[in-house]
Amino acid sequence: MGVAMLAIITANSHLAGTYFAALHAYIGPLSLHHWINDALMALFFLLVGLEIKREMLDGQLSSWSRRLLPGAAAAGGMLVPALIYMAFNLDHPAALRGWAIPTATDIAFALGVLSLLGPRVPASLKIFLAALAIIDDLGAVLVIALFYTVDLNLYALGGAAMVVTVLAALNRLGVMRLAPYLVLGAALWVLVLQSGIHATLAGVILALTVPLKRTPGTPEAAHADSPLHRLEHVLHKPVAFLIVPIFGFANAGVSFAGVTPGVLLEPLTLDVAAGLVLGKLLGVLGTVLVLVKTGLADLPASAGWGQTTGVALLCGIGFTMSLFISLLAFEDPALQDRLKIGILAGSLVAGVSGYVVLKLSSRRSAQPN
């Protein structure tokens, strides 16, 4: 969020011309902006894919009983924001293309805010939020693949399918060296870029083929030599401290030249912010309420309804993925700027309100009866 603020300051300073010119400067076949959004973000999606696979096979989402509550909450947290956005834009068909923008939860920022509260928040809530956000990421990947793919190049798509077949064969044959997967992954990225499908999806596809060597009943630390674990470990810090900040700096810069405070009250800006704050709250909390009251699931251990409400609010922090989808949904820079303002405002409100609710409810639950 600090980098996002720095981008906004830069875009409204005497450096604005240099900032925007640099983003549109071409380096080889792509502009710097496209290298960031299509290439660097492919590594972000590779990490997301590795996390999803690990959790599904060997972690908190490894059984259907563990998937039910966060899975249903993630689905509700995607459906309700989309419906709120669409309801507000029924009379504006052109704006409907952005329906998926408020459906995303930024796992890094949401867990970051939650971590500020330390041990006052039950560990079960952190696991619940992490699982929910991971499933939400999977949903966002599917949405991008299904709804934000344009003209397809069937030859490139066929080539990508062949590369995926070879990657799957390497996995089945038990190849444990990372190098072949990474070399083929680079080729896959080029082919997916040319196919018309967004190039970042190559990262997720590659992740699904990287082997996870498991030993039933063995602690995760004992099989940390697994290719998936090794690659995930290598990517964590560069993605967190380099790729996401670069993406934020390149995409959060909004010029306020000629923009009045009334922009915050414009329909498109409000729709995105409302989808993130109200939509996520109603979708996540409402789904949890239904499952708990019908006896299909229990609240996370040691967590109360106040703390669960706070976590539902944190799910409204949509920063990285929401910004990414907004760029896919609209090409008009003016619309993109309004969407960015809505995303930043909604994420800020969701983050602050979620933190306050969690802090107050955690303090209340800690008081003796």
Side-chain angles (χ1 to χ4, degrees), residues 10-358:
T10 304
N12 292 277
S13 70
H14 66 281
L15 296 173
T18 304
Y19 170 80
F20 289 111
L23 289 176
H24 291 96
Y26 270 75
I27 304 173
L30 299 175
S31 68
L32 177 60
H33 197 233
H34 278 103
W35 277 115
I36 292 169
N37 289 354
D38 291 356
L40 282 184
M41 286 300 285
L43 295 175
F44 169 84
F45 276 87
L46 172 58
L47 179 60
V48 167
L50 293 171
E51 290 175 338
I52 291 171
K53 180 173 181 177
R54 174 175 51 77
E55 292 294 341
M56 287 287 187
L57 295 180
D58 207 29
Q60 295 301 322
L61 302 175
S62 58
S63 66
W64 285 108
S65 60
R66 290 180 172 183
R67 296 168 190 161
L68 177 59
L69 187 64
M78 295 187 75
L79 180 62
V80 176
L83 291 175
I84 287 176
Y85 180 93
M86 292 169 72
F88 286 147
N89 287 283
L90 287 177
D91 296 330
H92 304 89
L96 285 175
R97 186 168 168 75
W99 64 270
I101 297 169
T103 65
T105 293
D106 192 303
I107 183 172
F109 284 116
L111 286 173
V113 173
L114 194 63
S115 70
L116 294 175
L117 294 158
R120 286 175 289 185
V121 175
S124 61
L125 267 184
K126 297 176 183 177
I127 293 170
F128 169 71
L129 178 57
L132 188 159
I134 287 169
I135 296 171
D136 186 284
D137 278 346
L138 178 59
V141 168
L142 293 174
V143 164
I144 292 169
L146 294 173
F147 299 101
Y148 294 101
T149 295
V150 290
D151 301 327
L152 293 178
N153 180 331
L154 296 181
Y155 294 106
L157 203 58
M162 291 177 62
V163 173
V164 173
T165 301
V166 175
L167 284 165
L170 291 176
N171 183 300
R172 294 290 294 174
L173 291 170
V175 176
M176 291 294 164
R177 291 181 58 215
L178 272 173
Y181 294 95
L182 297 179
V183 171
L184 287 168
L188 178 64
W189 178 82
V190 172
L191 289 166
V192 173
L193 177 67
Q194 295 174 344
S195 73
I197 299 174
H198 202 275
T200 52
L201 295 180
V204 178
I205 297 169
L206 173 61
L208 298 180
T209 67
V210 176
L212 172 62
K213 185 173 68 177
R214 293 183 297 154
T215 304
T218 303
E220 185 173 322
H223 53 257
D225 62 332
S226 168
L228 186 146
H229 286 88
R230 294 203 310 271
L231 184 55
E232 188 179 0
H233 179 73
V234 167
L235 286 175
H236 258 300
K237 287 184 179 178
V239 167
F241 296 109
L242 185 65
I243 292 173
V244 169
I246 287 175
F247 174 82
F249 186 74
N251 291 284
V254 180
S255 174
F256 294 119
V259 175
T260 64
V263 168
L264 286 171
L265 301 178
E266 287 189 7
L268 200 58
T269 307
L270 282 177
D271 297 346
V272 171
L276 286 170
V277 180
L278 296 179
K280 284 290 185 180
L281 174 63
L282 296 175
V284 172
L285 187 62
T287 303
V288 172
L289 182 63
V290 169
L291 290 176
V292 171
K293 293 301 181 183
T294 55
L296 294 174
D298 296 319
L299 280 177
S302 303
W305 282 108
Q307 292 170 318
T308 306
T309 301
V311 166
L313 282 165
L314 291 186
C315 290
I317 303 175
F319 187 71
T320 308
M321 197 69 81
S322 291
L323 283 174
F324 189 77
I325 295 175
S326 71
L327 297 172
L328 299 179
F330 299 101
E331 295 182 359
D332 183 350
L335 287 179
Q336 289 179 353
D337 283 352
R338 277 151 179 76
L339 290 166
K340 289 174 184 177
I341 293 171
I343 292 166
L344 292 171
S347 296
L348 182 62
V349 171
V352 171
S353 56
Y355 175 82
V356 171
V357 169
L358 277 165

